[in-house]
Amino acid sequence: MNVLILGGDGYLGWPTAMHLTAHGHTVAVVDSYLRRSLCRQENVEPLVDVPNLHQRTALWESIAGHHIPVYIGDLTDWMFVTEVFRRFSPDSIVHYAEQPAAPYSMLNRKAALLTLRNNLETTANIIFAVNQFCPEAQIVKLGTMGEYGTPNIDIEEGWLNVEHKGRQQKFLFPRQAGSLYHTTKIMDTDLLWLYVRMWDLRVTDLMQGPVYGIFTTENRDHEQLYSFLNYDELFGTVLNRFIIQAAAAYPMTVYGKGGQTRGYLNIIDTLNCVRLSLENPAQKGELRIFNQFTETFSVSQLADRVQQVARTLGLAAEIARVDNPRKEAEDHYYKPEHTGLLELGLDPHYLTDDVLAEMIEFALKHKDKIKPEQIYRKIRWNPDGE
Amino acid sequence: MNVLILGGDGYLGWPTAMHLTAHGHTVAVVDSYLRRSLCRQENVEPLVDVPNLHQRTALWESIAGHHIPVYIGDLTDWMFVTEVFRRFSPDSIVHYAEQPAAPYSMLNRKAALLTLRNNLETTANIIFAVNQFCPEAQIVKLGTMGEYGTPNIDIEEGWLNVEHKGRQQKFLFPRQAGSLYHTTKIMDTDLLWLYVRMWDLRVTDLMQGPVYGIFTTENRDHEQLYSFLNYDELFGTVLNRFIIQAAAAYPMTVYGKGGQTRGYLNIIDTLNCVRLSLENPAQKGELRIFNQFTETFSVSQLADRVQQVARTLGLAAEIARVDNPRKEAEDHYYKPEHTGLLELGLDPHYLTDDVLAEMIEFALKHKDKIKPEQIYRKIRWNPDGE
């Protein structure tokens, strides 16, 4: 299929591009380099420099023989959107093109408004572009498990049958997020659901948990093809952060009680989930929702796992319990369903000791590049400190 | 109290300003004249010209002795927002400042993006302004019953206790709207609920049904103080439209089967609902939600009522059943709760024959100004006609 990957420069976008071409699909990538700009502005650059998209696609073509056209521009700009959709006629769109960091979205008003505008207007433009240029095409959209928050009932896969006063109605599972970033993803889902009903779009919305990992089948032997590895509190995700912290002899920053439980997955599984979704498209007029993760851990469990493996490698890997800069439940019920992608054929890559050890060894190899002052600045969820 | 009315030029904003000053409150009004601009652009001007805010506040001051400062500017512009909040220190904010028309929001991509940006960024800026300048102030926000759509279960007042697999959770009542405009109001609710939890804001969200009417206690003897009366399909609401159609001998445009049922209220009741909400504020950290309407009618019932009363005035008042340009259920269950505002003391003004007759007589008085070509252009919910 002809897959247009929006946000193709990102932590997931670039590995997805390689993965889909390796599986026989034709791919083009679009990005505005927004994440790179924000990381530079906030002085939270990734561990290892990452070549730009033109450089990475050239390298991938020289290695694997797959050509990937690159479009650099801003998807909130309709003229750019129409140019991309006219030049590359997609039958499938993978939409990662969002400001992806919850802590960044809570940093201050400017960051909040940037997140709101970028994420919502990009999603809206994509909906209008598909309706105008390729109404039969499918959209595979990256959502987040964070849309659900941590309710006291089981989290079903996207939908909930509610029985109330003797009557029944199927609803989108009620959503209640803990950051503006996650709230924009709720809004995306609302927007997609509106236009699926109004215009018979074909949409898969992937409620993904935090992703960890560096290595994929495609990039394994080529460090120049690795994704961004952020270890700061704005753009770094928890497990990747703990691994860098362990390598840097920086006590792992467990927020509050550490009971915050989420569904996690290896980056390899993200690629397979997205590919399986594309290869088994949603129907016209269907908003299909999958919960995309493979196993659940609390923050404390992750820190303990990293500590255990790091100590076999001779590291101290201390754990620090720090005041929670977020406003979130630190001890809660969490039971999310996640059968849809398994039924499509997902073969999970679990968080084994080997997986952890390989990541820690990579971090140790680049230990000299870690900037400890970048790890934790105590940025609070309320910019005015309440 | 010091009440800042955002969207103070609107159909509801201006009568609210007069009403609150008449009840002893200090009021300032803010508007960008967005609605006036859009009506002019789309050539759907209201029935009677409406003086601008400086003219109306001067007239109101000469009649009632209440001074109302006017701030003209765009609330998506943070510099303007900070100027207003610094100059008029509000303890209460009434937020009507949104693109208010569902059909306009479905007109084309530009209209959709304008609606999305205006409504969301205004709400976000207000949240940030309150947090920064007046964290104790209350926000009374106009939502819409349209956020709920037409579910097959009873619509509770904002919240729903869900029992699922033997466990319980209270959620925002699941929302599923039928237009982009209504979806932006869902997003507003999500945004307010996020920051109520994060920053302990004090918010009342009023889920209002379609409003009808022209006359209020304050404007009754002064036609120059009446609100916009739109009768077109973009900015006109259904009962106001039917009344103008009856006066113009234009068959009333019932969409499809006409079974679409909604909760309606007289504009006088809107003013009382907003005042009662302000005078009985929500707590810190509370998102209080009221369903704001007084009685339910189907579209056919409204047309029949207008026909019945119009015929006593010697009008033919024919009813035309036209293809539904929207995508909506034309025959559905509808049972929404609405006790909260009654408990605060609301004394409803129901849709009596006298109320209808008075409105029809007003329309007849201005019959020569009605432009029949403005009434119905068959603007469809999908700009590309599906």
Side-chain angles (χ1 to χ4, degrees):
Chain A
M1 35 184 74
N2 272 7
V3 188
L4 187 63
I5 300 181
L6 311 176
D9 189 49
Y11 175 65
L12 302 176
W14 172 246
T16 304
M18 289 189 288
H19 181 75
L20 293 177
T21 55
H23 281 78
H25 300 297
T26 302
V27 169
V29 289
V30 183
D31 213 288
S32 66
Y33 293 142
L34 173 65
R35 185 211 172 113
R36 291 181 189 250
S37 305
L38 298 179
C39 287
R40 197 171 309 117
Q41 286 170 28
E42 298 300 332
N43 189 27
V44 290
E45 306 260 6
L47 181 65
V48 180
D49 284 345
V50 172
N52 70 35
L53 267 180
H54 284 93
Q55 294 163 340
R56 291 202 277 182
T57 51
L59 182 57
W60 178 238
E61 187 165 0
S62 74
I63 292 166
H66 303 300
H67 176 66
I68 300 178
V70 175
Y71 301 95
I72 300 301
D74 183 347
L75 292 162
T76 67
D77 169 5
W78 178 246
M79 296 313 294
F80 174 68
V81 174
T82 60
E83 184 200 326
V84 170
F85 274 75
R86 284 201 178 110
R87 286 171 63 182
F88 182 87
S89 292
D91 50 47
S92 301
I93 294 99
V94 176
H95 173 19
Y96 291 124
E98 308 227 329
Q99 190 297 94
Y104 179 80
S105 76
M106 300 302 286
L107 189 59
N108 54 39
R109 196 196 66 88
K110 258 179 78 176
L113 272 278
L114 180 150
T115 304
L116 198 62
R117 181 180 294 194
N118 181 77
N119 294 7
L120 268 289
E121 296 191 12
T122 295
T123 300
N125 275 345
I126 293 165
I127 289 167
F128 277 85
V130 167
N131 193 46
Q132 181 168 335
F133 297 110
C134 49
E136 300 301 316
Q138 64 173 321
I139 300 172
V140 173
K141 161 73 169 64
L142 195 75
T144 163
M145 286 297 293
E147 294 185 33
Y148 301 123
T150 54
N152 197 37
I153 63 170
D154 292 15
I155 298 172
E156 303 300 329
E157 209 142 1
W159 303 90
L160 183 66
N161 285 305
V162 172
E163 199 172 309
H164 183 57
K165 297 183 179 170
R167 301 181 64 87
Q168 294 204 330
Q169 173 72 46
K170 181 183 173 190
F171 288 109
L172 278 172
F173 192 95
R175 285 154 160 81
Q176 167 170 299
S179 81
L180 178 63
Y181 156 74
H182 291 104
T183 302
T184 63
K185 294 268 187 170
I186 295 175
M187 296 171 174
D188 282 337
T189 299
D190 285 332
L191 210 53
L192 289 164
W193 179 222
L194 170 69
Y195 289 107
V196 161
R197 284 175 290 134
M198 296 299 134
W199 297 349
D200 287 330
L201 301 183
R202 188 193 290 276
V203 177
T204 302
D205 201 353
L206 298 171
M207 303 294 121
Q208 185 177 252
V211 182
Y212 58 83
I214 303 158
F215 315 106
T216 71
T217 313
E218 292 74 36
N219 73 15
R220 183 160 281 285
D221 301 322
H222 308 281
E223 205 168 310
Q224 290 282 295
L225 296 177
Y226 291 179
S227 280
F228 305 116
L229 190 64
N230 277 82
Y231 57 96
D232 59 274
E233 71 197 282
L234 287 174
F235 288 88
T237 51
V238 58
L239 184 59
N240 289 353
R241 268 164 62 70
F242 284 171
I243 280 163
I244 303 282
Q245 291 174 357
Y250 191 109
M252 286 181 270
T253 50
V254 170
Y255 291 171
K257 292 187 196 164
Q260 304 92 323
T261 302
R262 302 289 185 269
Y264 290 82
L265 75 167
N266 190 305
I267 191 169
I268 296 171
D269 288 337
T270 295
L271 310 188
N272 284 318
C273 289
V274 170
R275 182 175 50 77
L276 288 166
S277 298
L278 289 166
E279 291 172 356
N280 301 275
Q283 302 298 307
K284 287 277 283 180
E286 183 189 7
L287 172 63
R288 183 176 59 168
I289 301 175
F290 294 128
N291 293 346
Q292 181 165 315
F293 67 94
T294 60
E295 43 192 341
T296 59
F297 300 104
S298 71
V299 168
S300 287
Q301 284 173 331
L302 287 179
D304 290 344
R305 289 289 307 280
V306 171
Q307 184 177 63
Q308 205 178 354
V309 175
R311 287 190 170 169
T312 67
L313 299 171
L315 300 168
E318 301 296 344
I319 294 172
R321 299 200 174 265
V322 303
D323 271 356
N324 196 341
R326 308 185 177 200
K327 202 155 174 178
E328 63 184 359
E330 296 175 357
D331 189 9
H332 57 86
Y333 184 73
Y334 201 64
K335 193 163 168 232
E337 281 295 327
H338 57 119
T339 55
L341 287 159
L342 296 170
E343 283 161 17
L344 282 191
L346 177 67
D347 183 15
H349 294 69
Y350 294 112
L351 184 63
T352 61
D353 288 355
D354 287 348
V355 167
L356 283 166
E358 195 178 16
M359 287 176 70
I360 296 170
E361 279 159 2
F362 176 79
L364 285 171
K365 183 177 159 195
H366 293 284
K367 191 170 180 281
D368 59 312
K369 300 191 185 75
I370 302 172
K371 299 189 178 67
E373 71 280 10
Q374 195 167 300
I375 292 175
Y376 184 51
R377 298 178 189 161
K378 301 185 186 175
I379 295 168
R380 294 185 64 83
W381 236 226
N382 185 338
D384 295 317
E386 301 194 16
Chain B
M1 35 183 77
N2 271 8
V3 187
L4 187 63
I5 300 180
L6 311 176
D9 188 49
Y11 175 64
L12 302 176
W14 172 244
T16 303
M18 290 189 288
H19 181 75
L20 292 177
T21 55
H23 280 78
H25 300 296
T26 303
V27 169
V29 288
V30 184
D31 214 287
S32 65
Y33 292 143
L34 173 66
R35 186 211 172 112
R36 291 180 189 251
S37 305
L38 298 179
C39 286
R40 196 172 310 117
Q41 286 170 29
E42 298 301 332
N43 188 27
V44 290
E45 305 260 6
L47 181 65
V48 179
D49 284 343
V50 172
N52 70 34
L53 267 181
H54 284 95
Q55 294 163 342
R56 291 201 277 182
T57 51
L59 183 57
W60 179 238
E61 187 166 357
S62 74
I63 292 166
H66 304 300
H67 177 65
I68 300 178
V70 175
Y71 301 94
I72 300 301
D74 183 348
L75 291 162
T76 67
D77 169 5
W78 178 246
M79 295 313 295
F80 174 67
V81 173
T82 60
E83 184 200 326
V84 170
F85 274 75
R86 284 202 178 108
R87 287 172 62 182
F88 182 87
S89 292
D91 51 46
S92 301
I93 293 99
V94 176
H95 173 19
Y96 291 123
E98 307 228 330
Q99 190 296 97
Y104 179 79
S105 76
M106 300 302 286
L107 189 59
N108 53 40
R109 195 196 66 87
K110 258 180 78 177
L113 272 279
L114 180 150
T115 304
L116 198 62
R117 180 180 294 194
N118 180 77
N119 294 7
L120 267 290
E121 296 192 11
T122 294
T123 301
N125 275 345
I126 293 165
I127 289 167
F128 277 86
V130 168
N131 193 46
Q132 181 168 335
F133 298 109
C134 49
E136 300 301 316
Q138 64 174 321
I139 300 172
V140 173
K141 161 74 169 61
L142 195 76
T144 163
M145 286 297 293
E147 294 185 33
Y148 301 122
T150 54
N152 197 38
I153 62 171
D154 291 15
I155 298 172
E156 303 300 329
E157 209 142 0
W159 303 89
L160 183 66
N161 284 305
V162 172
E163 200 173 310
H164 183 57
K165 297 182 177 170
R167 301 181 63 87
Q168 294 205 331
Q169 173 72 46
K170 181 182 173 190
F171 288 109
L172 279 172
F173 193 96
R175 285 154 160 80
Q176 167 171 300
S179 82
L180 179 63
Y181 156 75
H182 291 103
T183 302
T184 63
K185 295 269 187 170
I186 295 175
M187 295 171 173
D188 282 338
T189 299
D190 284 331
L191 210 53
L192 289 164
W193 179 221
L194 170 69
Y195 288 107
V196 162
R197 284 176 291 135
M198 296 298 135
W199 298 346
D200 287 331
L201 301 183
R202 189 192 289 276
V203 177
T204 302
D205 202 353
L206 298 172
M207 303 294 120
Q208 183 176 255
V211 182
Y212 58 83
I214 302 158
F215 316 106
T216 71
T217 313
E218 291 74 36
N219 74 14
R220 182 159 284 286
D221 301 322
H222 308 280
E223 203 167 312
Q224 290 283 294
L225 296 177
Y226 291 179
S227 279
F228 305 116
L229 190 64
N230 277 83
Y231 55 97
D232 59 274
E233 72 198 282
L234 286 174
F235 288 88
T237 51
V238 57
L239 184 59
N240 289 354
R241 269 164 63 69
F242 284 171
I243 280 162
I244 303 281
Q245 291 174 358
Y250 190 110
M252 285 181 271
T253 51
V254 170
Y255 290 170
K257 292 186 198 165
Q260 304 92 322
T261 301
R262 302 289 185 269
Y264 290 82
L265 75 167
N266 190 306
I267 191 168
I268 296 171
D269 287 338
T270 295
L271 310 187
N272 284 318
C273 289
V274 169
R275 183 175 51 75
L276 288 166
S277 298
L278 289 166
E279 292 172 355
N280 301 274
Q283 303 298 307
K284 288 276 283 179
E286 183 189 6
L287 172 63
R288 183 177 58 168
I289 300 175
F290 295 128
N291 292 346
Q292 181 166 312
F293 66 94
T294 60
E295 42 192 342
T296 59
F297 299 103
S298 71
V299 168
S300 287
Q301 284 173 331
L302 287 179
D304 290 344
R305 288 289 307 279
V306 172
Q307 184 177 63
Q308 204 178 352
V309 175
R311 287 188 171 169
T312 67
L313 299 171
L315 300 168
E318 301 296 343
I319 294 171
R321 298 200 175 264
V322 302
D323 271 355
N324 196 340
R326 308 184 177 202
K327 201 156 175 178
E328 63 184 359
E330 296 175 357
D331 190 9
H332 58 85
Y333 184 74
Y334 200 64
K335 192 162 169 234
E337 281 296 328
H338 58 119
T339 55
L341 288 159
L342 295 170
E343 283 161 17
L344 282 191
L346 178 68
D347 182 15
H349 294 69
Y350 293 112
L351 184 64
T352 62
D353 287 356
D354 286 348
V355 166
L356 283 166
E358 195 179 16
M359 288 178 70
I360 297 169
E361 279 159 2
F362 176 79
L364 286 171
K365 183 176 159 196
H366 294 284
K367 190 169 182 279
D368 59 313
K369 299 191 186 72
I370 302 171
K371 299 189 179 67
E373 71 280 9
Q374 196 168 298
I375 292 175
Y376 184 51
R377 298 177 190 163
K378 301 185 185 174
I379 295 168
R380 294 185 63 82
W381 234 227
N382 185 339
D384 295 317
E386 301 193 17

